[in-house]
Amino acid sequence: MADGGSPSQAESSNGGQMNINLPPPDTPDHDAGTEGGDQIPIPTRTLKDLINPPRDLALLRQRLFEVKDKIELQVDEFERYWPYIDNVWVRQHKAGTDKSGRVITDYYACRLQRPTYTPKPDTPRREGQPTRKKQIREGGTCQMRLKTIRYEGGYSGYTILKVGDETQHTHDLDHIDKIKRTSVLMEIARSEVMKGYMPASVFTVMNEDTEKLVAAGGRYLNRNDVRNASQHWRQIHKEELRVHEGYKYDHGNGIVRHDGAPPAMQLNDDKSMVDPALSDVAPLPRGTLRFPESDRAFLQPYLPPENPVINESGFPHVTLTYGTSMDSSLTLAPGMQTILSGPESKAMTHYLRSKHDAIVIGVGTATVDDPGLNCRLEGVGGFGGLGWEGQPRPVVIDPGARWLITPNSRVLQTVQAGKGRGPWVIMAPGFSMDPMRLEMLKFYGGKYLGLTEYDKKWRLRWEAILKALAAEGIKSVMIEGGGMVINDLLQPENANFISSVIVTVAPTYLGKGGVGVCPAPRYDHTGRPQPAVRFQDVKWYPLGEDVVMCGKLLGDQLVTT
């Protein structure tokens, strides 16, 4: 570990006036799209949104209904999925914005928190105007609430959190779908009627793929819903409506499709067939990695559990992983980036990253390699997945504030592209970034963690580092390097923090002069040298041209003599 200098009072991460020219956020217009007077908003949803719905729509609707855990979505994902669940959540009051103008918070309550309509039987009506029979929906039966936090800075995204004392709804999602339709379904219905089709014909067409309609919340969609969605437009446009091409009115059965005619949901506006393989899923970015299922099983015993918890000592699960040569070298020379592992091992590393909450490296590695510190495995956020799921938090141990991070640093470029998280920087007291760098770090979703605990050699203590990460909600840590960090963690007084080790050995000797992994030895009570660290439950697994060793700390090393 780098020398942190003599201890002194820690400097605040926001000390001093910070003046930095950063672009202002785009505040979303929460009132956009509402109807006013006779203005008819142009629908943006069509039948294509039913035949090619957002990926995993039913699963996402259920997650956004329950909000069991924090949900993170990128802005385009939130705007894509939220209209499919807006029959559940009702916004409570105007959005609040913090002093920076970058954080916008909205609060929502379950629709059943209160009745949606109070009858007013004495309200006078114009002559000839029929009395509307509006059903009074139940209310006061569910107190579930949530908040959405939109951040606009070096990246844009939404965080969705449950608030209040209630932990779950008093009803299921199907119950809400029965009493209220989503805005997506109503907009699709309105868009079809505005093309000149009869509401009954639109209803028939929308029901032709029941599975997709149910996934979109339309199990209880009926003809009256289609009529209500289009009533304003039909009152203004007194024109004769028709049935969809290939359909007919069948007395007693309503609108039915001609035998052999293709479903209207499968036709584009120009009557060409919609390709069912098309969807709103973007192509995978260049550099996306795949790690076969067949190669994952051997790693399972050495990974954090599916639902990790902080152990009794207050530490997260710690996996030490790195690539080395046959002579235990990491690089050919100090400060020289050296590629050792093959493509299969590289994919494995990114799979390991997807299974941990954070990646930890030292400032030397951050400076020399300028790494992206993200996960590029297919299926994680930014690479075919949603939000930032599977993306670990980059953590750089930089006691002396030596890391000259800039907007051109790969880790921040990754954040800006929506393919990684903002880095956290761990520093020692008496050192701090200059105010502009601190503000920039915050702008990209990162932050500074100041520690005050040293070991007897004036180095930051691993105990303090790991407890600080645990306090921030980090339950699993993957420590990747470089040499100083690895060797320090393998010292006898620190090795007991390691939960498992995964080392990739490349078929090469780098020779003398490089950076090696060689921790100090232990000694027995007579002063005789002993092996520094030995592992148990060891497995060796060939991966391409490399070989991977997995192991756990041998129990008798937990106490150093």
Side-chain angles (χ1 to χ4, degrees):
M1 303 288 289
D3 184 359
S6 59
S8 62
Q9 185 175 357
E11 295 184 11
S12 171
S13 63
N14 61 355
Q17 184 68 29
M18 301 178 187
N19 295 316
I20 183 169
N21 293 323
L22 298 175
D26 295 326
T27 303
D29 184 358
H30 293 278
D31 297 325
T34 57
E35 296 185 17
D38 290 339
Q39 182 181 1
I40 306 292
I42 300 175
T44 58
R45 306 280 182 170
T46 67
L47 282 176
K48 293 180 183 178
D49 291 280
L50 278 182
I51 191 172
N52 288 327
R55 180 170 50 88
D56 297 328
L57 177 57
L59 175 63
L60 260 294
R61 288 194 78 233
Q62 190 65 36
R63 285 186 62 188
L64 290 169
F65 171 75
E66 296 175 343
V67 197
K68 289 183 177 180
D69 302 298
K70 178 175 68 175
I71 300 174
E72 294 178 310
L73 296 174
Q74 300 195 29
V75 171
D76 63 324
E77 295 168 345
F78 180 88
E79 293 174 347
R80 190 183 314 147
Y81 285 99
W82 188 258
Y84 287 93
I85 198 70
D86 60 4
N87 61 330
V88 176
W89 301 106
V90 180
R91 191 157 66 95
Q92 294 297 286
H93 49 74
K94 191 174 181 180
T97 307
D98 73 341
K99 293 180 180 179
S100 70
R102 301 186 198 123
V103 181
I104 305 159
T105 304
D106 267 319
Y107 288 88
Y108 292 81
C110 176
R111 184 170 295 277
L112 298 187
Q113 185 184 49
R114 60 182 181 179
T116 56
Y117 171 67
T118 302
K120 299 179 180 179
D122 298 330
T123 302
R125 305 184 70 83
R126 294 193 299 270
E127 183 178 355
Q129 184 180 14
T131 301
R132 185 178 182 187
K133 297 180 181 180
K134 189 169 184 180
Q135 181 181 3
I136 304 174
R137 299 194 185 104
E138 61 186 288
T141 61
C142 185
Q143 301 301 317
M144 270 283 287
R145 294 185 297 143
L146 64 76
K147 66 178 178 180
T148 63
I149 305 170
R150 174 166 175 163
Y151 180 80
E152 288 287 349
Y155 74 98
S156 299
Y158 279 90
T159 300
I160 304 170
L161 297 165
K162 189 183 301 182
V163 297
D165 298 329
E166 297 297 323
T167 58
Q168 62 183 18
H169 291 275
T170 58
H171 53 87
D172 57 17
L173 179 56
D174 186 73
H175 181 71
I176 285 285
D177 287 343
K178 186 175 183 179
I179 63 176
K180 179 68 176 178
R181 310 294 175 254
T182 68
S183 62
V184 170
L185 294 175
M186 301 299 274
E187 190 171 357
I188 291 173
R190 186 169 69 251
S191 71
E192 285 297 295
V193 174
M194 290 174 67
K195 294 177 183 177
Y197 295 119
M198 297 172 55
S201 182
V202 173
F203 171 75
T204 298
V205 169
M206 291 180 69
N207 273 274
E208 287 194 314
D209 194 329
T210 306
E211 183 178 351
K212 290 181 178 178
L213 182 63
V214 170
R219 181 190 299 273
Y220 302 99
L221 183 76
N222 55 54
R223 291 179 177 85
N224 284 335
D225 294 324
V226 180
R227 294 190 187 101
N228 290 338
S230 60
Q231 182 180 12
H232 193 189
W233 184 87
R234 289 185 288 113
Q235 287 177 341
I236 297 174
H237 299 81
K238 306 292 185 180
E239 58 186 64
E240 185 176 351
L241 302 178
R242 65 188 187 280
V243 299
H244 287 79
E245 185 174 342
Y247 293 73
K248 64 180 179 179
Y249 178 75
D250 184 17
H251 183 71
N253 294 312
I255 307 298
V256 297
R257 179 158 44 98
H258 285 297
D259 294 338
M265 283 182 64
Q266 298 180 13
L267 294 175
N268 292 306
D269 291 339
D270 61 0
K271 307 308 177 185
S272 62
M273 294 293 292
V274 173
D275 185 354
L278 296 177
S279 68
D280 69 336
V281 179
L284 294 174
R286 183 179 180 182
T288 302
L289 301 173
R290 294 177 173 87
F291 188 59
E293 292 286 343
S294 58
D295 287 329
R296 299 183 182 189
F298 85 98
L299 293 167
Q300 191 61 39
Y302 309 95
L303 296 176
E306 287 295 327
N307 297 303
V309 295
I310 304 299
N311 63 32
E312 295 178 356
S313 301
F315 304 121
H317 178 104
V318 175
T319 303
L320 175 62
T321 179
Y322 58 92
T324 182
S325 65
M326 295 177 66
D327 52 351
S328 196
S329 291
L330 303 174
T331 64
L332 286 164
M336 180 178 180
Q337 187 177 12
T338 305
I339 298 176
L340 289 171
S341 304
E344 297 87 357
S345 299
K346 181 178 181 180
M348 180 196 73
T349 298
H350 284 261
Y351 171 70
L352 294 176
R353 288 180 175 182
S354 74
K355 296 298 182 179
H356 291 79
D357 292 341
I359 310 171
V360 175
I361 64 170
V363 63
T365 301
T367 301
V368 173
D369 294 351
D370 186 26
L373 296 177
N374 67 333
C375 176
R376 301 203 304 273
L377 188 74
E378 181 181 7
V380 304
F383 294 85
L386 288 173
W388 290 266
E389 292 181 354
Q391 287 293 352
R393 174 72 62 181
V395 178
V396 177
I397 302 177
D398 184 18
R402 296 192 291 121
W403 189 26
L404 299 177
I405 186 172
T406 72
N408 293 324
S409 298
R410 280 184 60 202
V411 66
L412 297 190
Q413 291 288 308
T414 298
V415 173
Q416 192 169 20
K419 299 175 182 176
R421 298 182 184 271
W424 294 352
V425 182
I426 295 178
M427 296 186 219
F431 296 89
S432 65
M433 287 184 176
D434 64 80
M436 291 186 65
R437 275 196 291 157
L438 282 172
E439 180 66 12
M440 179 182 63
L441 193 66
K442 185 177 180 181
F443 182 68
Y444 284 92
K447 63 180 176 182
Y448 147 78
L449 299 176
L451 302 184
T452 59
E453 297 184 41
Y454 292 93
D455 63 15
K456 57 188 177 182
K457 297 181 180 178
W458 293 109
R459 298 174 302 189
L460 289 176
R461 298 176 60 202
W462 277 105
E463 180 179 5
I465 292 172
L466 296 174
K467 282 191 173 181
L469 294 177
E472 295 290 338
I474 300 296
K475 298 178 181 178
S476 58
V477 175
M478 178 174 168
I479 298 177
E480 295 193 12
M484 185 176 293
V485 169
I486 294 170
N487 282 312
D488 193 68
L489 185 61
L490 288 172
Q491 295 302 319
E493 64 270 23
N494 297 325
N496 59 305
F497 295 118
I498 301 173
S499 307
S500 58
V501 61
I502 301 174
V503 178
T504 303
V505 182
T508 183
Y509 289 99
L510 294 186
K512 296 181 179 179
V515 175
V517 176
C518 188
R522 295 188 306 151
Y523 298 91
D524 63 17
H525 65 281
T526 66
R528 187 173 182 176
Q530 300 292 316
V533 181
R534 185 173 179 84
F535 295 95
Q536 62 181 357
D537 297 334
V538 172
K539 288 184 181 179
W540 295 85
Y541 188 84
L543 200 59
E545 294 184 347
D546 304 326
V547 63
V548 180
M549 188 213 77
C550 303
K552 297 181 179 180
L553 194 68
L554 193 62
D556 62 3
Q557 297 169 124
L558 296 181
V559 178
T560 304
T561 57

